[in-house]
Structures are given as C-alpha cells and as structure tokens.
Amino acid sequence: MPTFTQHAVGTFCWPECATTDAQGSKRFYSDLLGWTWKESPMGPDGIYYIALLDGRSVGAMFQLDEGMKKMAVPPNWGSYVTVTNVDESIAKAKSLGGELMMGPQDVNDLGRMAVLRDPIGATINLWQPGTMHGADMLHEPGSLGWTQLNATDPAKAKPFYTGLFGWKAEDMQSPGDGSTYTTWKVGSEGAGGMMPMPPGTGAPSHWLVYWSVADTNAAHKKAESLGAKTFVPPTDVPGMVRFTVMQDPQGVIFALMTPLV
C-alpha cells in the first residue's frame, strides 16, 4: 500500500485519541496494534504523542487536561476531515445547524483546525493542511480502516454532512436487522459511513473509529487480554467485513475490522 502524502478534500485524514491516561493508552495500543510513539511538546498543555507503524504516522494521542475534564469532554477517538478552508467550513456548518466547539486555530505551520458539534450532538474535527497532511498510512493492518457516525437521528444528520463536506449519501438495507446503512461518498469512493444508533444503548451520537487488523478474532482476543471490554463481539457483515466494537481500559470506544473481500 502507498504512503499517503495528501488526503482528498472531504476525506478522513487523522484520528486522535483524547485519554485520561496517556501512558496506559500508549501501552494498550502498542501491544494491540504494534505502534511506536514520537513525542511532540504541546507547550504547557502536555505532550502530543504521534503513533507510528513501520515509521509511518497513523494517528495521535494526548491526555485530557483539567480544563477539558471540567468541560466534561469524554475520553474518545476524534476524527479529522480534510477541508480547503477551515473558516469557510465553520461558517457553512453554522448555517446548517452546527456549533463551533473549539478554534479555529493554527497549529504552528502544520495546519489549521477546529472542532464542531453537529445538529445531533456528535463532534467532528476539521483540518486544513499546512506542512502536515494527516496520516501516512490507511487501510493497512494497524491503521485507520473506516470512520462511522452512530446517529440518534440519521435523517437530521444527513443534510448537515452532505451540505458541509459535499458528501453523497448512498443508502443500503443492512442484511442483518434491515436498518438503513449510509455510505458517505467523495466522488465514487467511500469516505465513511452512518448507521442508526443501536436501540437500547443510550449512547449519544458519536463518530466511531475502526482500526484495520489482519484477523478480527485474534485482535479481539488480544484486546480482551489487555483489559478491553466487548460491546459487539466479532460479527460478519456478509461479503464486506468482520468487525468488533470494544472499549479500551481508559474508557475509549473503538472498533476493529478485517475485510472479507
């Protein structure tokens, strides 16, 4: 697979973990996915840990500070989408019912970012590349495989994201429970997905990061041995992927996936 040197506008480019215990999280994902780490100072706010696999960046991690905890920011994997102009995207998001949560701000010469809340409560991050384009590696074991919105109100989310990023929404009936699964497309390529929040979960709308692995069953067993909890056991989407949804020891929800084709 190629090393990415840029990401198309409207595609997910960078996963970022906010955790309550950076050292514990680093150990967990290193053991599970084979990552090593490069430290980048964040000034008085701490250290930004860049995850590497075979020397290529796959995402990052930082520890929630006291200010974030007071704002009730939960431990989570955040997802950045590449945009041409962060400020213009913020204005567009507001016109579509979104809310600016953080930024816009420049990250040295690396790029410009902002954090939004969509009309159903999920947060999504914007990235306008400078010298840093995002992840060097996608769709290979140990790197980002898919990003999915678990939505409490898919009908309300759809016009927001199609309007904000220009995504096309392609719906299909799930072979399992018959619910509608939406694939977000940039041109002919799938950029991510959306599904209705599973009934009875009581969870707020959120974007879920899927990590590609060579064998979902083996990775699931390894994650459990490292202290992760299972929300969805290894399950097949016929003809597409085998996946599992889990929670790491620091409380962050994530998923693992292996293509079946």
Side-chain angles (χ1 to χ4, degrees):
M1 295 289 286
T3 295
F4 286 80
T5 57
Q6 64 180 359
H7 296 279
V9 170
T11 62
F12 287 96
C13 63
W14 190 244
E16 178 186 83
C17 183
T19 177
T20 57
D21 177 7
Q23 297 307 315
S25 292
K26 285 169 59 185
R27 286 192 297 272
F28 175 80
Y29 289 102
S30 294
D31 289 345
L32 178 62
L33 298 173
W35 294 348
T36 58
W37 302 91
K38 181 174 74 173
E39 296 185 3
S40 179
M42 294 174 62
D45 297 325
I47 298 173
Y48 196 67
Y49 300 97
I50 299 173
L52 303 174
L53 192 60
D54 298 329
R56 293 185 286 172
S57 63
V58 294
M61 178 180 297
F62 66 92
Q63 186 158 314
L64 290 164
D65 61 26
E66 291 305 313
M68 293 176 180
K69 292 177 183 176
K70 288 179 181 178
M71 293 171 60
V73 176
N76 71 94
W77 273 106
S79 300
Y80 284 82
V81 176
T82 297
V83 297
T84 302
N85 186 296
V86 160
D87 298 79
E88 291 177 1
S89 294
I90 291 170
K92 183 67 172 178
K94 288 180 176 178
S95 75
L96 294 165
E99 179 184 359
L100 179 63
M101 302 300 294
M102 179 178 142
Q105 67 184 54
D106 292 324
V107 185
N108 299 319
D109 63 346
L110 300 175
R112 188 163 173 81
M113 59 83 65
V115 180
L116 304 175
R117 177 180 287 155
D118 72 18
I120 61 171
T123 57
I124 188 76
N125 303 339
L126 308 177
W127 183 249
Q128 178 184 329
T131 60
M132 203 282 279
H133 59 279
D136 295 334
M137 185 177 179
L138 297 172
H139 312 305
E140 298 180 61
S143 67
L144 181 66
W146 192 244
T147 312
Q148 174 183 288
L149 177 60
N150 290 349
T152 54
D153 189 344
K156 192 173 182 180
K158 190 177 292 185
F160 176 79
Y161 287 103
T162 55
L164 178 59
F165 296 128
W167 289 344
K168 297 177 182 177
E170 184 175 285
D171 294 337
M172 63 173 285
Q173 189 175 35
S174 171
D177 57 10
S179 62
T180 299
Y181 191 90
T182 299
T183 299
W184 307 112
K185 288 198 165 183
V186 174
S188 62
E189 298 297 319
M194 176 174 68
M195 64 172 284
M197 186 69 68
T201 62
S205 298
H206 61 276
W207 283 93
L208 177 65
V209 167
Y210 284 73
W211 298 106
S212 290
V213 293
D215 183 325
T216 294
N217 287 9
H220 171 263
K221 183 177 180 180
K222 177 70 171 178
E224 284 196 327
S225 76
L226 294 169
K229 298 178 182 178
T230 299
F231 287 160
V232 180
T235 302
D236 286 348
V237 179
M240 298 180 70
V241 298
R242 185 166 178 80
F243 75 97
T244 180
V245 180
M246 309 188 77
Q247 183 181 52
D248 74 21
Q250 285 69 46
V252 181
I253 308 300
F254 68 99
L256 305 169
M257 60 173 281
T258 306
L260 295 178
V261 292

